Amino acid sequence: MNKLVFLIFIYSINSIFCFAQNDSIPLKFDTKYYNAVDKWVAFPKTEKDSTYTLGFIYIDEMAGFTFNFENSFTIKDQILIPSEKDSVSKIAFIKSRLYTDTKNVAIINSKQLKELNLPLFPDWLEIYKSDEDNVEYLKQIGYLYNHAGASANAIEPLLKAYNKQPHFKGLEFELAFAYNATKQFKKAIPVLEKAIANKNNDQLIYKELGYAFMNLQDFEKAESAFTEGIKNAKDDTIKAEMAINMCSVYFNKKDEKKYNKWIKIAKQYINETSQFSQYVTYFESEWQKQKNN
């Protein structure tokens, strides 16, 4: 997608803005950036700052969540007053990528838009919306929401894409991941089972399927899914994660036979530097304590 911009500065959002809350101002800095997509927003200022930072949040399908700086403003008698733009800011697109540690923003309401002389949407936004019905675009938007920890927001674009082309590469995993992340396990299962029926043997498909069954306490089906997943997986970390999941199930159920089976499998893929090694240590220590008692 070609995007026409005159001047782009990419900064970390947290390196530009300092954050503070002032209850006396007509703005509420209580919105996560991923819940302010396609909105005009303001960032709070510190006591040392004389103005607030104003801009528009949108999604660049390649770069992710982005803040486009528009102007600064002050507040007087509960009215938002825009700063006079200099010659550079009139032609520059100053952009900041937004990440999970970005602080909350305030959404500018319709009354405040008029005070700041802003349209509902900036003209340049159309550039980023030209492919919004495209399956690849919708899948990528869902991926970005999932990656930001906003899976509830990911479901709508992913489901729209799924209804168009359900077996598009990577789409079934992203939709199932979003369902699992929002505890809609029963909705994740048919998506994953249809993917497998379509010969999608991706390791992540089996991992999500096992996870869904595990959370529904259908442990036999979870075990079957993880077993197939380990057979198909190429990544030892993924294999270890699936095995540790089953270890935790049978550890909590105090099923020693099943636990021993899965801890043996897990140890095949876990070394001292593995993120899962601490789980093995914990399980074995606690299991021994239970035996001694």
Side-chain angles (χ1 to χ4, degrees), residues 177-191:
F177 180 93
Y179 279 142
N180 277 344
T182 54
K183 302 185 185 306
Q184 299 182 72
F185 308 113
K186 290 183 178 180
K187 290 184 177 181
I189 289 169
V191 172

Side-chain angles (χ1 to χ4, degrees), residues 121-133:
F121 301 107
D123 292 339
W124 52 259
L125 184 63
E126 294 182 8
I127 299 171
Y128 298 89
K129 296 292 185 180
S130 60
D131 294 330
E132 62 181 346
D133 290 324

Side-chain angles (χ1 to χ4, degrees), residues 238-281:
I238 299 296
K239 293 179 184 180
E241 182 178 351
M242 289 189 275
I244 285 294
N245 277 333
M246 291 314 303
C247 285
S248 67
V249 167
Y250 294 121
F251 174 83
N252 291 323
K253 289 172 66 67
K254 295 181 170 56
D255 186 331
E256 186 173 6
K257 182 178 179 181
K258 291 275 194 177
Y259 167 80
N260 286 337
K261 170 189 172 181
W262 281 97
I263 199 68
K264 182 179 179 180
I265 295 171
K267 286 181 177 179
Q268 296 177 46
Y269 309 110
I270 295 174
N271 55 43
E272 292 181 357
T273 61
S274 170
Q275 60 181 307
F276 299 110
S277 62
Q278 60 185 317
Y279 292 98
V280 174
T281 301

Side-chain angles (χ1 to χ4, degrees), residues 9 11-20 25 27-29 31 36 39-57 66-75 80-83 85 89 93-98 102-109 112-113 116 118:
F9 297 104
Y11 295 109
S12 166
I13 192 74
N14 286 331
S15 67
I16 302 177
F17 307 119
C18 296
F19 303 95
I25 64 172
L27 296 169
K28 292 183 179 180
F29 298 100
T31 303
K39 302 286 186 183
W40 292 99
V41 303
F43 280 91
K45 65 180 182 67
T46 67
E47 293 181 358
K48 295 179 179 180
D49 296 324
S50 59
T51 61
Y52 295 87
T53 299
L54 170 69
F56 193 86
I57 292 178
T66 305
F67 174 78
N68 190 93
F69 173 78
E70 173 69 18
N71 199 3
S72 59
F73 65 90
T74 55
I75 299 175
L80 277 57
I81 304 170
S83 302
K85 291 186 178 182
S89 63
F93 285 75
I94 303 177
K95 299 177 183 292
S96 302
R97 303 308 178 210
L98 307 180
T102 297
K103 302 298 183 179
N104 289 353
V105 299
I107 295 177
I108 303 298
N109 63 36
Q112 293 164 343
L113 287 178
L116 294 167
L118 294 173

